[in-house]
Coordinates of all heavy atoms in Angstrom, one line a residue:
M1 N 11.1 -43.8 30.4 CA 10.5 -43.0 31.4 C 9.2 -42.3 31.0 O 8.3 -42.1 31.8 CB 11.5 -41.9 31.9 CG 11.7 -40.8 30.9 SD 12.9 -39.6 31.6 CE 13.1 -38.6 30.2
Y2 N 9.0 -42.1 29.7 CA 7.8 -41.5 29.2 C 6.5 -42.3 29.4 O 5.5 -41.7 29.8 CB 7.9 -41.0 27.7 CG 8.9 -39.9 27.6 CD1 10.1 -40.1 26.9 CD2 8.6 -38.7 28.1 CE1 11.0 -39.1 26.8 CE2 9.5 -37.6 28.0 CZ 10.7 -37.8 27.3 OH 11.6 -36.8 27.2
P3 N 6.5 -43.6 29.3 CA 5.3 -44.4 29.6 C 4.8 -44.1 31.0 O 3.6 -43.9 31.2 CB 5.7 -45.8 29.4 CG 6.7 -45.7 28.3 CD 7.5 -44.5 28.6
E4 N 5.7 -44.0 32.0 CA 5.2 -43.7 33.3 C 4.7 -42.2 33.4 O 3.7 -42.0 34.1 CB 6.4 -43.8 34.3 CG 6.9 -45.2 34.4 CD 8.2 -45.3 35.3 OE1 8.4 -44.4 36.2 OE2 8.9 -46.3 35.2
F5 N 5.4 -41.3 32.8 CA 4.9 -39.9 32.8 C 3.5 -39.8 32.1 O 2.6 -39.1 32.6 CB 5.9 -39.0 32.0 CG 7.2 -38.8 32.7 CD1 8.2 -38.1 32.0 CD2 7.4 -39.3 34.0 CE1 9.5 -37.9 32.6 CE2 8.7 -39.1 34.6 CZ 9.7 -38.4 33.9
I6 N 3.3 -40.6 31.0 CA 2.1 -40.6 30.3 C 0.9 -41.1 31.2 O -0.1 -40.5 31.3 CB 2.2 -41.4 29.0 CG1 3.0 -40.7 28.0 CG2 0.8 -41.7 28.4 CD1 3.5 -41.5 26.7
E7 N 1.2 -42.2 31.9 CA 0.2 -42.7 32.8 C -0.1 -41.8 33.9 O -1.3 -41.6 34.2 CB 0.8 -44.0 33.4 CG -0.3 -45.0 33.9 CD -1.4 -45.2 32.9 OE1 -1.2 -45.5 31.7 OE2 -2.6 -45.1 33.3
A8 N 0.9 -41.1 34.5 CA 0.6 -40.1 35.6 C -0.2 -39.0 35.1 O -1.1 -38.5 35.7 CB 1.9 -39.7 36.1
A9 N 0.1 -38.5 33.8 CA -0.6 -37.4 33.3 C -2.1 -37.8 33.0 O -3.0 -37.0 33.2 CB 0.0 -36.9 32.0
K10 N -2.3 -39.0 32.6 CA -3.7 -39.5 32.4 C -4.4 -39.5 33.7 O -5.6 -39.1 33.8 CB -3.7 -40.9 31.8 CG -3.4 -40.9 30.3 CD -3.3 -42.4 29.8 CE -2.9 -42.5 28.3 NZ -2.8 -43.9 27.9
Q11 N -3.8 -40.1 34.7 CA -4.5 -40.2 36.0 C -4.8 -38.8 36.7 O -5.8 -38.7 37.3 CB -3.6 -41.0 37.0 CG -3.5 -42.5 36.6 CD -2.6 -43.3 37.5 OE1 -2.1 -42.7 38.5 NE2 -2.4 -44.6 37.2
D12 N -3.9 -37.9 36.4 CA -4.1 -36.5 36.9 C -4.9 -35.6 36.0 O -5.1 -34.4 36.3 CB -2.7 -35.9 37.2 CG -2.0 -36.6 38.3 OD1 -2.7 -37.3 39.1 OD2 -0.8 -36.4 38.5
D13 N -5.3 -36.1 34.9 CA -6.1 -35.4 33.9 C -5.4 -34.1 33.4 O -6.0 -33.0 33.3 CB -7.5 -35.1 34.4 CG -8.5 -34.7 33.3 OD1 -8.3 -35.2 32.2 OD2 -9.4 -34.0 33.6
H14 N -4.1 -34.2 33.1 CA -3.3 -33.1 32.6 C -3.2 -33.3 31.1 O -2.2 -33.9 30.6 CB -2.0 -33.0 33.2 CG -2.0 -32.5 34.7 ND1 -2.3 -31.2 35.0 CD2 -1.8 -33.1 35.8 CE1 -2.2 -31.1 36.3 NE2 -1.9 -32.2 36.8
S15 N -4.1 -32.8 30.3 CA -4.1 -33.1 28.8 C -2.9 -32.5 28.1 O -2.4 -33.1 27.2 CB -5.4 -32.6 28.2 OG -5.6 -31.2 28.4
K16 N -2.5 -31.3 28.5 CA -1.3 -30.7 27.9 C -0.1 -31.4 28.2 O 0.8 -31.7 27.3 CB -1.2 -29.2 28.3 CG -2.3 -28.3 27.6 CD -2.0 -26.9 28.0 CE -3.1 -26.0 27.3 NZ -3.0 -24.6 27.6
A17 N 0.1 -31.9 29.4 CA 1.3 -32.6 29.8 C 1.2 -34.0 29.1 O 2.2 -34.5 28.6 CB 1.3 -32.9 31.3
L18 N 0.1 -34.6 29.0 CA -0.1 -35.9 28.3 C 0.3 -35.7 26.9 O 1.2 -36.6 26.4 CB -1.5 -36.3 28.4 CG -1.9 -37.6 27.6 CD1 -1.1 -38.8 28.2 CD2 -3.4 -37.9 27.7
Q19 N -0.1 -34.7 26.2 CA 0.3 -34.5 24.8 C 1.8 -34.3 24.7 O 2.5 -34.9 23.8 CB -0.4 -33.3 24.2 CG -0.1 -33.2 22.7 CD -0.8 -32.0 22.0 OE1 -0.8 -30.9 22.5 NE2 -1.5 -32.4 21.0
T20 N 2.4 -33.6 25.5 CA 3.9 -33.3 25.5 C 4.6 -34.6 25.7 O 5.6 -34.9 25.0 CB 4.3 -32.3 26.6 OG1 3.6 -31.1 26.4 CG2 5.8 -32.1 26.7
F21 N 4.2 -35.5 26.7 CA 4.9 -36.7 26.9 C 4.7 -37.7 25.8 O 5.6 -38.5 25.5 CB 4.4 -37.3 28.3 CG 4.8 -36.5 29.5 CD1 3.9 -36.4 30.5 CD2 6.0 -35.8 29.5 CE1 4.2 -35.6 31.7 CE2 6.3 -35.0 30.7 CZ 5.4 -35.0 31.7
E22 N 3.5 -37.7 25.2 CA 3.2 -38.6 24.1 C 4.1 -38.2 22.8 O 4.7 -39.1 22.2 CB 1.8 -38.6 23.7 CG 0.9 -39.4 24.7 CD -0.5 -39.4 24.4 OE1 -1.1 -38.5 23.8 OE2 -1.2 -40.3 24.9
Y23 N 4.2 -36.9 22.6 CA 5.1 -36.4 21.5 C 6.5 -36.8 21.8 O 7.3 -37.3 21.0 CB 5.1 -34.9 21.4 CG 3.8 -34.4 20.7 CD1 3.5 -33.0 20.7 CD2 3.0 -35.2 20.0 CE1 2.5 -32.5 20.1 CE2 1.8 -34.6 19.3 CZ 1.6 -33.3 19.3 OH 0.5 -32.7 18.7
A24 N 7.0 -36.6 23.0 CA 8.4 -36.9 23.4 C 8.6 -38.4 23.3 O 9.7 -38.8 22.8 CB 8.7 -36.4 24.8
N25 N 7.7 -39.2 23.7 CA 7.8 -40.6 23.6 C 8.0 -41.1 22.2 O 8.9 -41.9 21.9 CB 6.6 -41.3 24.3 CG 6.9 -42.8 24.5 OD1 7.9 -43.2 24.9 ND2 5.9 -43.6 24.2
A26 N 7.2 -40.6 21.3 CA 7.2 -40.9 19.9 C 8.5 -40.4 19.3 O 9.2 -41.2 18.5 CB 6.0 -40.4 19.2
A27 N 8.9 -39.2 19.6 CA 10.1 -38.7 19.0 C 11.4 -39.4 19.5 O 12.3 -39.7 18.7 CB 10.3 -37.2 19.4
E28 N 11.3 -39.9 20.7 CA 12.5 -40.6 21.2 C 12.6 -42.0 20.5 O 13.7 -42.5 20.3 CB 12.4 -40.9 22.8 CG 12.7 -39.7 23.6 CD 14.1 -39.1 23.3 OE1 15.0 -39.9 23.2 OE2 14.3 -37.9 23.2
K29 N 11.5 -42.6 20.1 CA 11.6 -43.8 19.3 C 12.2 -43.5 18.0 O 13.0 -44.4 17.5 CB 10.2 -44.4 19.1 CG 9.6 -45.0 20.4 CD 8.2 -45.5 20.3 CE 7.6 -46.0 21.6 NZ 6.2 -46.3 21.5
V30 N 11.9 -42.4 17.4 CA 12.6 -42.1 16.1 C 14.0 -41.8 16.3 O 14.9 -42.3 15.5 CB 11.8 -40.8 15.5 CG1 12.6 -40.4 14.2 CG2 10.4 -41.1 15.2
H31 N 14.4 -41.1 17.4 CA 15.8 -40.8 17.6 C 16.5 -42.1 17.9 O 17.7 -42.3 17.3 CB 15.9 -40.0 18.9 CG 15.3 -38.6 18.8 ND1 15.0 -37.8 19.9 CD2 14.7 -37.9 17.8 CE1 14.4 -36.7 19.5 NE2 14.2 -36.8 18.2
G32 N 16.0 -43.0 18.5 CA 16.6 -44.4 18.8 C 16.8 -45.1 17.5 O 17.8 -45.8 17.3
G33 N 15.8 -45.0 16.6 CA 16.1 -45.7 15.3 C 17.2 -45.1 14.5 O 18.0 -45.8 13.8
I34 N 17.3 -43.7 14.5 CA 18.4 -43.1 13.8 C 19.7 -43.5 14.5 O 20.7 -43.8 13.7 CB 18.2 -41.5 13.9 CG1 17.0 -41.1 13.1 CG2 19.5 -40.8 13.4 CD1 16.6 -39.7 13.2
F35 N 19.8 -43.5 15.8 CA 21.0 -43.9 16.5 C 21.4 -45.3 16.1 O 22.6 -45.6 15.9 CB 20.8 -43.7 18.0 CG 22.0 -44.1 18.8 CD1 23.1 -43.2 18.9 CD2 22.1 -45.3 19.4 CE1 24.2 -43.6 19.6 CE2 23.2 -45.7 20.1 CZ 24.3 -44.8 20.2
K36 N 20.4 -46.2 16.1 CA 20.6 -47.6 15.8 C 21.2 -47.8 14.4 O 22.2 -48.5 14.2 CB 19.4 -48.4 15.9 CG 19.5 -49.9 15.7 CD 18.2 -50.6 15.9 CE 18.3 -52.1 15.5 NZ 17.4 -52.5 14.5
D37 N 20.7 -47.1 13.4 CA 21.2 -47.1 12.1 C 22.6 -46.6 12.0 O 23.5 -47.3 11.3 CB 20.3 -46.3 11.1 CG 18.9 -46.9 10.9 OD1 18.7 -48.0 11.2 OD2 18.0 -46.1 10.4
L38 N 22.9 -45.5 12.7 CA 24.3 -44.9 12.6 C 25.2 -45.9 13.3 O 26.4 -46.1 12.8 CB 24.3 -43.5 13.2 CG 23.5 -42.5 12.5 CD1 23.4 -41.2 13.2 CD2 24.1 -42.3 11.1
K39 N 24.8 -46.5 14.4 CA 25.7 -47.4 15.2 C 26.0 -48.6 14.3 O 27.1 -49.1 14.3 CB 24.9 -47.8 16.4 CG 25.8 -48.8 17.3 CD 25.0 -49.1 18.6 CE 25.8 -50.1 19.4 NZ 25.1 -50.6 20.6
E40 N 25.0 -49.1 13.5 CA 25.2 -50.3 12.7 C 26.2 -49.9 11.5 O 27.1 -50.7 11.1 CB 24.0 -50.7 12.0 CG 23.0 -51.5 13.1 CD 21.7 -51.8 12.6 OE1 21.3 -51.5 11.4 OE2 20.9 -52.4 13.4
K41 N 26.1 -48.7 11.0 CA 27.1 -48.2 10.0 C 28.5 -48.2 10.5 O 29.4 -48.6 9.9 CB 26.7 -46.9 9.5 CG 25.5 -47.0 8.5 CD 25.2 -45.6 7.9 CE 24.0 -45.7 7.0 NZ 23.3 -45.8 6.2
V42 N 28.7 -47.7 11.7 CA 30.0 -47.6 12.3 C 30.5 -49.0 12.6 O 31.7 -49.3 12.2 CB 29.9 -46.8 13.7 CG1 31.2 -47.0 14.4 CG2 29.6 -45.4 13.4
A43 N 29.7 -49.9 13.1 CA 30.1 -51.3 13.3 C 30.5 -52.0 12.0 O 31.4 -52.9 12.1 CB 29.0 -52.0 14.0
S44 N 29.9 -51.6 10.9 CA 30.2 -52.3 9.7 C 31.3 -51.6 8.9 O 31.7 -52.0 7.8 CB 29.0 -52.4 8.8 OG 28.6 -51.1 8.3
G45 N 31.9 -50.6 9.6 CA 33.0 -49.9 8.9 C 32.6 -48.9 7.8 O 33.5 -48.4 7.1
T46 N 31.4 -48.6 7.7 CA 30.9 -47.6 6.7 C 30.6 -46.3 7.4 O 30.6 -46.2 8.7 CB 29.7 -48.1 5.9 OG1 28.6 -48.4 6.9 CG2 30.0 -49.3 5.1
D47 N 30.3 -45.3 6.6 CA 30.0 -44.0 7.2 C 28.6 -43.6 6.8 O 28.2 -44.0 5.7 CB 31.1 -43.0 6.7 CG 31.1 -41.8 7.7 OD1 30.3 -41.7 8.7 OD2 32.0 -40.9 7.4
A48 N 28.0 -42.7 7.5 CA 26.7 -42.2 7.1 C 26.8 -41.2 6.0 O 27.7 -40.4 6.0 CB 26.0 -41.6 8.4
E49 N 25.8 -41.2 5.2 CA 25.7 -40.2 4.1 C 25.4 -38.9 4.8 O 24.5 -38.8 5.6 CB 24.7 -40.6 3.1 CG 24.5 -39.7 2.0 CD 23.4 -40.1 1.0 OE1 23.1 -41.3 1.0 OE2 23.0 -39.3 0.2
E50 N 26.1 -37.8 4.4 CA 25.8 -36.5 5.0 C 24.6 -36.0 4.4 O 24.5 -35.8 3.1 CB 27.0 -35.6 4.7 CG 27.0 -34.4 5.5 CD 28.3 -33.6 5.5 OE1 29.4 -34.2 5.5 OE2 28.2 -32.4 5.3
K51 N 23.6 -35.7 5.3 CA 22.3 -35.2 4.8 C 21.9 -34.1 5.8 O 22.3 -34.2 7.0 CB 21.2 -36.3 4.8 CG 21.4 -37.3 3.8 CD 20.2 -38.3 3.9 CE 20.3 -39.4 2.9 NZ 19.1 -40.3 3.0
A52 N 21.1 -33.2 5.3 CA 20.5 -32.2 6.3 C 19.5 -32.9 7.2 O 18.9 -33.8 6.9 CB 19.8 -31.1 5.5
V53 N 19.6 -32.4 8.5 CA 18.7 -32.9 9.5 C 17.6 -31.9 9.7 O 17.9 -30.7 9.8 CB 19.5 -33.2 10.8 CG1 18.6 -33.7 11.9 CG2 20.6 -34.3 10.5
H54 N 16.3 -32.3 9.9 CA 15.2 -31.5 10.1 C 14.6 -31.8 11.5 O 14.4 -33.0 11.8 CB 14.2 -31.6 9.0 CG 14.7 -31.2 7.7 ND1 14.5 -30.0 7.1 CD2 15.5 -31.9 6.8 CE1 15.1 -30.0 5.9 NE2 15.7 -31.1 5.7
L55 N 14.3 -30.8 12.2 CA 13.7 -30.9 13.5 C 12.3 -30.2 13.6 O 12.2 -29.1 13.2 CB 14.6 -30.2 14.6 CG 14.0 -30.0 16.0 CD1 13.8 -31.4 16.7 CD2 14.9 -29.1 16.8
C56 N 11.3 -31.0 14.0 CA 10.0 -30.4 14.2 C 10.0 -29.7 15.6 O 10.3 -30.2 16.6 CB 8.9 -31.5 14.3 SG 7.3 -30.8 14.7
P57 N 9.7 -28.3 15.6 CA 9.8 -27.6 16.8 C 8.7 -27.8 17.8 O 8.7 -27.4 18.9 CB 9.8 -26.1 16.3 CG 9.0 -26.2 15.0 CD 9.3 -27.5 14.4
V58 N 7.7 -28.5 17.3 CA 6.5 -28.8 18.2 C 6.7 -30.1 19.0 O 6.5 -30.0 20.2 CB 5.2 -28.9 17.3 CG1 4.0 -29.3 18.2 CG2 5.0 -27.6 16.6
C59 N 7.2 -31.1 18.4 CA 7.2 -32.4 19.1 C 8.6 -33.0 19.3 O 8.8 -33.9 20.0 CB 6.3 -33.5 18.4 SG 7.0 -34.0 16.8
G60 N 9.6 -32.5 18.5 CA 10.9 -33.0 18.6 C 11.3 -34.0 17.6 O 12.4 -34.6 17.7
W61 N 10.3 -34.4 16.7 CA 10.7 -35.4 15.7 C 11.9 -34.9 14.9 O 12.0 -33.7 14.6 CB 9.5 -35.5 14.8 CG 9.8 -36.4 13.5 CD1 9.7 -37.7 13.5 CD2 10.1 -35.9 12.2 NE1 10.0 -38.1 12.2 CE2 10.3 -37.0 11.4 CE3 10.3 -34.7 11.7 CZ2 10.7 -37.0 10.1 CZ3 10.7 -34.6 10.4 CH2 10.9 -35.7 9.6
V62 N 12.7 -35.8 14.5 CA 13.9 -35.5 13.7 C 13.9 -36.4 12.5 O 13.7 -37.6 12.6 CB 15.2 -35.7 14.5 CG1 16.4 -35.6 13.6 CG2 15.3 -34.7 15.6
G63 N 14.2 -35.8 11.4 CA 14.2 -36.6 10.1 C 15.3 -36.1 9.2 O 15.7 -34.9 9.3
M64 N 15.7 -36.9 8.3 CA 16.7 -36.5 7.3 C 16.0 -36.5 5.9 O 15.0 -37.1 5.7 CB 17.8 -37.5 7.3 CG 18.5 -37.5 8.7 SD 20.1 -38.4 8.6 CE 20.3 -38.7 10.4
E65 N 16.6 -35.7 5.0 CA 16.0 -35.6 3.7 C 15.9 -37.0 3.0 O 16.8 -37.7 3.2 CB 16.8 -34.6 2.9 CG 16.8 -33.2 3.5 CD 17.5 -32.2 2.7 OE1 18.2 -32.5 1.8 OE2 17.2 -31.0 3.0
P66 N 14.9 -37.1 2.3 CA 13.7 -36.3 2.1 C 12.8 -36.4 3.3 O 12.5 -37.4 3.8 CB 13.0 -36.9 0.8 CG 13.4 -38.3 0.9 CD 14.8 -38.4 1.5
V67 N 12.2 -35.2 3.6 CA 11.3 -35.2 4.8 C 9.8 -35.2 4.3 O 9.6 -34.7 3.2 CB 11.5 -34.0 5.7 CG1 12.9 -34.1 6.4 CG2 11.4 -32.7 4.9
P68 N 8.9 -35.6 5.1 CA 7.5 -35.6 4.7 C 6.9 -34.2 4.7 O 7.5 -33.3 5.3 CB 6.8 -36.5 5.7 CG 7.7 -36.5 6.9 CD 9.1 -36.3 6.3
D69 N 5.8 -34.0 4.1 CA 5.2 -32.7 4.0 C 4.7 -32.2 5.4 O 4.7 -31.0 5.7 CB 4.0 -32.6 3.1 CG 4.4 -32.7 1.6 OD1 5.6 -32.4 1.3 OD2 3.6 -33.1 0.8
K70 N 4.4 -33.2 6.2 CA 3.9 -32.9 7.6 C 4.7 -33.8 8.6 O 5.0 -35.0 8.2 CB 2.4 -33.1 7.7 CG 1.6 -32.1 7.0 CD 0.1 -32.4 7.3 CE -0.6 -31.2 6.5 NZ -2.1 -31.4 6.8
C71 N 4.9 -33.4 9.8 CA 5.5 -34.2 10.8 C 4.7 -35.4 11.0 O 3.5 -35.4 11.2 CB 5.6 -33.4 12.1 SG 6.2 -34.3 13.5
P72 N 5.4 -36.6 11.0 CA 4.6 -37.9 11.2 C 4.1 -38.1 12.6 O 3.2 -38.9 12.8 CB 5.6 -38.9 10.8 CG 7.0 -38.3 11.0 CD 6.7 -36.8 10.7
I73 N 4.5 -37.2 13.5 CA 4.0 -37.3 14.9 C 2.9 -36.3 15.2 O 1.8 -36.7 15.7 CB 5.1 -37.2 15.9 CG1 6.2 -38.3 15.8 CG2 4.6 -37.1 17.4 CD1 7.4 -38.1 16.6
C74 N 3.1 -35.1 14.8 CA 2.1 -34.1 15.3 C 1.5 -33.3 14.1 O 0.7 -32.4 14.4 CB 2.8 -33.0 16.2 SG 4.0 -32.0 15.4
N75 N 1.8 -33.7 12.9 CA 1.2 -33.1 11.7 C 1.6 -31.6 11.4 O 1.0 -30.9 10.6 CB -0.3 -33.2 11.7 CG -0.8 -34.6 11.5 OD1 -0.2 -35.4 10.7 ND2 -1.7 -35.0 12.2
T76 N 2.6 -31.1 12.1 CA 3.1 -29.7 11.8 C 3.7 -29.7 10.4 O 4.3 -30.7 10.0 CB 4.2 -29.4 12.8 OG1 3.6 -29.3 14.1 CG2 4.9 -28.0 12.5
S77 N 3.4 -28.6 9.7 CA 3.9 -28.5 8.3 C 5.4 -28.5 8.3 O 6.1 -27.9 9.2 CB 3.4 -27.2 7.7 OG 4.1 -27.0 6.4
K78 N 6.0 -29.1 7.2 CA 7.5 -29.1 7.1 C 8.0 -27.7 7.0 O 9.3 -27.5 7.2 CB 7.9 -30.0 5.9 CG 7.7 -29.4 4.6 CD 8.3 -30.4 3.5 CE 8.1 -29.9 2.1 NZ 8.6 -30.8 1.1
K79 N 7.2 -26.7 6.7 CA 7.7 -25.3 6.6 C 8.2 -24.8 8.0 O 9.0 -23.9 8.0 CB 6.5 -24.4 6.1 CG 6.1 -24.6 4.7 CD 4.9 -23.8 4.3 CE 4.5 -24.1 2.9 NZ 3.2 -23.4 2.5
A80 N 7.7 -25.5 9.0 CA 8.2 -25.0 10.4 C 9.4 -25.8 10.8 O 10.0 -25.4 11.8 CB 7.0 -25.3 11.4
F81 N 9.8 -26.8 10.1 CA 11.0 -27.6 10.6 C 12.2 -26.7 10.6 O 12.4 -25.8 9.7 CB 11.2 -28.8 9.6 CG 10.2 -29.8 9.6 CD1 10.2 -30.8 8.7 CD2 9.1 -29.9 10.5 CE1 9.3 -31.8 8.7 CE2 8.1 -30.8 10.5 CZ 8.2 -31.8 9.6
K82 N 13.1 -26.9 11.5 CA 14.4 -26.3 11.7 C 15.4 -27.2 11.0 O 15.4 -28.4 11.3 CB 14.8 -26.1 13.1 CG 13.8 -25.3 13.9 CD 13.6 -23.9 13.5 CE 12.6 -23.2 14.4 NZ 12.1 -22.0 13.8
Q83 N 16.1 -26.6 10.1 CA 17.1 -27.5 9.3 C 18.5 -27.2 9.9 O 18.9 -26.1 10.2 CB 17.1 -27.1 7.9 CG 18.0 -28.0 7.0 CD 18.0 -27.7 5.6 OE1 16.9 -27.2 5.0 NE2 19.0 -27.9 4.8
F84 N 19.3 -28.3 10.0 CA 20.6 -28.3 10.5 C 21.6 -28.9 9.5 O 21.2 -29.8 8.8 CB 20.8 -29.0 11.8 CG 19.9 -28.4 12.9 CD1 18.6 -28.9 13.2 CD2 20.4 -27.3 13.7 CE1 17.9 -28.3 14.2 CE2 19.6 -26.8 14.7 CZ 18.4 -27.3 14.9
Ligands
ZN1 ZN1 6.1 -32.8 15.1

């Protein structure tokens, strides 16, 4: 759904909405990759290694340790990440 939202924001010249939708679109791709990896582990009968999860509060990027110094989507410092 985000590509349609991105296009509408471009047409309506809503730069803040455009940035939000682009961040969400990129973050959802990362989330999908994490879900795919976990699904494959379940299907193969293995379990995921327990690791801390980090969330970028600006764009919604999620990563597991080790995390980069800056968010790969919006460049927010890892100091701002929320750890779960
Ligand atoms: Zn981010």
Side-chain angles (χ1 to χ4, degrees):
M1 71 183 174
Y2 289 113
E4 292 176 26
F5 291 172
I6 289 168
E7 201 52 44
K10 284 179 182 174
Q11 289 178 6
D12 294 342
D13 198 27
H14 286 291
S15 60
K16 289 185 179 181
L18 176 60
Q19 184 178 52
T20 298
F21 295 144
E22 287 178 335
Y23 282 169
N25 191 43
E28 285 300 318
K29 289 177 182 171
V30 174
H31 300 167
I34 292 169
F35 179 81
K36 181 177 177 239
D37 290 345
L38 294 173
K39 183 179 176 186
E40 287 172 359
K41 285 187 181 234
V42 169
S44 69
T46 58
D47 203 357
E49 183 180 341
E50 195 169 315
K51 292 182 178 180
V53 176
H54 298 261
L55 168 68
C56 175
V58 175
C59 71
W61 173 84
V62 171
M64 298 188 200
E65 293 184 347
V67 293
D69 290 338
K70 292 184 176 183
C71 174
I73 295 173
C74 70
N75 290 320
T76 294
S77 170
K78 73 177 182 181
K79 294 175 184 173
F81 294 171
K82 306 293 182 197
Q83 183 177 331
F84 298 93

